[in-house]
Amino acid sequence: MADAPLNSSDYLMLDRLQNPPLNKELNQYLIDIKTANYQSIFPVQSQEIFKEKAALCELLGKKFSRPFSFNLESFYCLLTNLCSANWKIALALSSHDMLYCAYWELPLQYRENIFPLLPDFTSGSISQDSINAALNWGANCFIVPVLNEDILTLNAIESLPQNVIKVVDISYALALNLPLPQADIMLLNGENLGIMRPFGIFASNEYWGVYGVSNNFLEIPRLYETFRQAIMLKNSNAKSATNEIPIDLARIFFDALCINLEKMGMRESCYLFYQTPPNTLALGLKGIKARNLIQSLLFDDIGVINGQECLFGFARPSFVLREMGYSEAQARELLSLSFLDISSSLIPEIAQKIAKRYLQLRNLEH
């Protein structure tokens, strides 16, 4: 018989960073329009979009913005535009899964203009040695996320030289209320702010044509104001928490899980792949396939993921760990966790539930 679910009215999302609940009010505001296309013939409607765009740009510290979808086609178009404009690109393969897929879909003639960057095996971050190697190769455009996908490690964006174009995915930084880096181009995924797919934002210091990015796109009424409100809501929640004593629930959970496993005679079974920001965890559990654990935890109303590909429904281990040189078996031991909007009082019980499910799987597999 399955253990009783936790005493909580809400499903416990330990994948909340990558898969946050949709903000119904913001999404309703975005789609509550009469027609898909605004009547651009009337200046007042164009002026309204311009005002909303300017307000979002001010919030992000940028001069220009436009819609951008976090799908394969948009990333493919971005990469081909930059390559066609003769940029020599250093591309972090540890960014969004669709950007990773777009890279491998490129014809060889374009991929020859791209230097792939991977997190360092020891630190889990894009290292200075990798940056220097890309610069020596001739890279003058870096596409790098603030946090590496799946392993959730931070990249030191500030270590990039001033004379290169910096294209930075800031999605997780905003979701975790981390300081925004200096970047020439920011990419922001609406999913990480509770906005439904496929809405995103491309914001830059220069008009996108300067970078070689296509000038052809369709404006989406209310898009910029929806993103502005989503960011303001995040900032407001962060400010309201400033008077509270910071608690890293991820660290508390990891310690509790280790204690539970030690009591079960499995002291050496869990480990950290890498150090990650507060309330995030790249957890390794030895000797199992994370997918089986994920399925068993559904009975306890606990949601976890092995990585972004798991989130998108692909039955494959983390593409980041595979590219870094981990074996498939090691990559399948990863749980990419976040502890956002969860009561600290639930952590001991969550740790106990996961330890029990893990023990059950180990007993079944041996």
Side-chain angles (χ1 to χ4, degrees):
M1 181 180 294
D3 294 326
L6 290 161
N7 295 321
S8 172
S9 58
D10 294 324
Y11 184 72
L12 288 169
M13 299 172 63
L14 303 189
D15 58 352
R16 195 180 181 94
L17 176 64
Q18 300 97 326
N19 189 32
L22 292 176
N23 186 312
K24 294 181 181 179
E25 290 77 15
L26 282 178
N27 285 292
Q28 185 61 42
Y29 172 78
L30 175 59
I31 66 174
D32 192 17
I33 52 179
K34 293 181 179 180
T35 60
N37 298 295
Y38 69 100
Q39 294 177 308
S40 57
I41 196 170
F42 295 112
V44 65
Q45 295 199 11
S46 296
Q47 290 169 1
E48 185 64 25
I49 288 180
F50 180 82
K51 282 174 52 181
E52 293 178 356
K53 180 184 294 193
L56 176 62
C57 285
E58 182 179 3
L59 187 59
L60 293 174
K62 293 287 169 269
K63 298 177 182 178
F64 304 96
S65 63
R66 58 176 287 181
F68 184 86
S69 299
F70 273 62
N71 57 29
L72 186 147
E73 294 79 9
S74 293
F75 282 123
Y76 185 94
C77 184
L78 176 63
L79 291 176
T80 54
N81 280 180
L82 293 172
C83 288
S84 297
N86 295 318
W87 291 102
K88 301 283 283 184
I89 303 168
L91 172 64
L93 299 185
S94 52
S95 191
H96 195 278
D97 178 63
M98 291 294 101
L99 176 55
Y100 171 78
C101 291
Y103 166 72
W104 287 111
E105 290 286 342
L106 289 174
L108 183 59
Q109 67 193 70
Y110 288 126
R111 273 196 275 133
E112 288 177 344
N113 284 337
I114 297 177
F115 185 97
L117 291 174
L118 286 169
D120 178 72
F121 196 90
T122 302
S123 69
S125 300
I126 303 293
S127 68
Q128 190 61 50
D129 286 344
S130 295
I131 293 171
N132 291 340
L135 292 170
N136 291 334
W137 172 80
N140 54 11
C141 175
F142 281 72
I143 304 179
V144 183
V146 175
L147 263 72
N148 294 303
E149 191 58 62
D150 296 352
I151 55 175
L152 305 180
T153 48
L154 280 165
N155 292 317
I157 307 297
E158 64 276 5
S159 66
L160 296 175
Q162 293 295 318
N163 62 339
V164 302
I165 300 300
K166 293 175 277 293
V167 183
V168 182
D169 184 343
I170 63 169
S171 307
Y172 288 162
L174 279 174
L176 290 172
N177 298 307
L178 300 174
L180 295 184
Q182 293 296 317
D184 300 286
I185 297 172
M186 290 179 172
L187 301 178
L188 174 55
N189 191 354
E191 287 187 45
N192 300 116
L193 295 174
I195 301 170
M196 59 188 177
R197 189 182 295 168
F199 298 109
I201 293 292
F202 176 113
S204 60
N205 287 332
E206 303 288 345
Y207 193 63
W208 32 88
V210 172
Y211 302 111
V213 177
S214 173
N215 294 330
N216 296 314
F217 67 94
L218 297 174
E219 292 286 22
I220 302 172
R222 297 191 175 185
L223 178 73
Y224 305 110
E225 177 60 15
T226 300
F227 270 82
R228 190 190 71 83
Q229 290 186 29
I231 295 170
M232 292 296 291
L233 181 61
K234 279 286 180 184
N235 291 343
S236 175
N237 291 340
K239 288 179 180 177
S240 65
T242 53
N243 294 329
E244 300 177 6
I245 299 174
I247 300 176
D248 185 358
L249 294 183
R251 172 53 61 181
I252 295 173
F253 164 80
F254 182 73
D255 291 342
L257 180 64
C258 290
I259 291 171
N260 276 279
L261 290 173
E262 184 172 2
K263 291 178 180 178
M264 299 172 181
M266 309 191 76
R267 180 178 180 179
E268 305 299 328
S269 294
C270 67
Y271 60 97
L272 297 179
F273 276 87
Y274 299 106
Q275 291 298 320
T276 60
N279 294 315
T280 65
L281 199 65
L283 174 68
L285 288 170
K286 295 180 180 178
I288 64 163
K289 294 179 179 179
R291 186 176 185 84
N292 295 334
L293 180 61
I294 292 167
Q295 291 172 333
S296 68
L297 287 171
L298 293 177
F299 292 103
D300 297 314
D301 289 333
I302 298 174
V304 297
I305 60 170
N306 173 246
Q308 195 173 75
E309 289 187 295
C310 172
L311 190 66
F312 292 163
F314 305 136
R316 300 188 294 261
S318 167
F319 69 98
V320 177
L321 290 180
R322 295 201 315 270
E323 284 288 351
M324 290 174 67
Y326 283 86
S327 69
E328 182 173 319
Q330 288 174 308
R332 290 189 184 280
E333 294 180 348
L334 171 70
L335 288 183
S336 184
L337 305 179
S338 55
F339 296 80
L340 308 178
D341 302 320
I342 290 178
S343 171
S344 58
S345 63
L346 291 175
I347 295 299
E349 194 172 355
I350 294 172
Q352 185 181 57
K353 292 279 185 179
I354 291 178
K356 284 184 177 180
R357 294 296 180 188
Y358 173 71
L359 178 62
Q360 289 171 355
L361 287 175
R362 285 295 299 268
N363 289 337
L364 286 172
E365 294 178 7
H366 294 80

